[in-house]
Amino acid sequence: MADVFLSYKREERPQVERLAHALRGLGLDVWFDASLSAGEAFSDEIDREVRGARIVLVCWSPSAAASRWVKSEAKVGFDKDNLISTYVAGPDGFEPPVPFNSLHVEDMRVWALRPSARDAAWLSVLRRVGALAGRADIAEWAALGPSASAAQIESWLATHGGVSPLVLDAESFLREREAVDRERLAEESAARERVERLRVEKAAAEE
């Protein structure tokens, strides 16, 4: 059975395919209706997959909220407490139907158009995905957030760097963070030198 079952409406197929691609890139087994087996009954396979998945990730939009299929799939995740709700399309202020509006919904509309490895909404989704899928590398990477320090990234690499598909992202992030730290230290050093120079000039003037 899949790690992640994606529930969505066909109008949002491009966004969902980007999401599926990103999740599969993390080594997760992802199922959505593009995975249907030839010749197998549509409803039977969907029922089996949604009930067997570790995670039911619903991609809400106004059309998805009106779909009895999406609501039925979301209800399975809701009852099993393995539902992750996201917005992938729709106007500001849109809410999923009852009872799903009682859960936090992550706004993935920007990410769905322009995926980014350190988008805050994406990282929030990954924290829950990692926890439900039993993937500590994903959960702990997402918990670092976009402002993680070089030391925190190095600690993650020491723990997960040998096995996680996120290692390249982590190494790239570490190089960026180290560059930022070097620039900050250089600016602080220059500021101290200016202060010292002004002190020396003031002392010389007073003499």
Side-chain angles (χ1 to χ4, degrees):
M1 295 298 177
D3 293 311
V4 184
F5 178 98
L6 292 178
S7 179
Y8 74 106
K9 201 70 171 61
R10 287 188 177 274
E11 287 85 342
E12 284 71 58
R13 181 65 170 264
Q15 297 96 309
V16 174
E17 287 182 338
R18 293 186 194 103
L19 182 57
H21 177 75
L23 292 170
R24 285 170 176 155
L26 299 177
L28 295 164
D29 183 8
V30 179
W31 194 98
F32 66 117
D33 61 11
S35 311
L36 278 168
S37 301
E40 187 155 9
F42 182 79
S43 59
D44 290 346
E45 183 170 358
I46 287 180
D47 183 72
R48 183 176 69 249
E49 293 293 340
V50 71
R51 294 184 187 281
R54 291 182 174 185
I55 300 159
V56 178
L57 197 161
V58 179
C59 301
W60 289 112
S61 66
S63 57
S67 167
R68 66 187 181 92
W69 288 103
V70 173
K71 287 185 284 190
S72 294
E73 292 158 5
K75 184 65 163 56
V76 173
F78 186 87
D79 290 342
K80 293 179 66 177
D81 198 27
N82 67 351
L83 178 66
I84 299 176
S85 286
T86 67
Y87 294 125
V88 297
D92 291 343
F94 162 75
E95 288 189 355
V98 175
F100 313 112
N101 63 338
S102 65
L103 301 176
H104 175 71
V105 184
E106 202 62 55
D107 188 347
M108 294 280 286
R109 290 176 298 175
V110 172
W111 184 96
L113 296 174
R114 295 183 298 277
S116 168
R118 290 193 290 280
D119 178 89
W122 170 240
L123 293 175
S124 179
V125 168
L126 287 188
R127 285 194 292 274
R128 178 84 165 136
V129 166
L132 289 171
R135 287 285 302 277
D137 62 317
I138 295 175
E140 292 173 16
W141 166 255
L144 292 179
S147 59
S149 67
Q152 289 174 316
I153 302 167
E154 288 171 343
S155 177
W156 183 93
L157 281 166
T159 303
H160 304 292
V163 296
S164 177
L166 284 160
V167 65
L168 294 180
D169 283 344
E171 290 174 345
S172 174
F173 192 17
L174 179 59
R175 288 193 296 270
E176 291 176 18
R177 182 59 61 209
E178 288 174 338
V180 169
D181 288 346
R182 286 194 298 271
E183 183 177 347
R184 176 179 54 79
L185 290 172
E187 290 175 351
E188 290 174 353
S189 177
R192 287 194 297 270
E193 289 176 0
R194 285 195 297 273
V195 170
E196 178 61 18
R197 184 172 65 252
L198 291 171
R199 186 191 67 76
V200 170
E201 290 173 354
K202 181 180 179 182
E206 289 174 350
E207 290 178 356

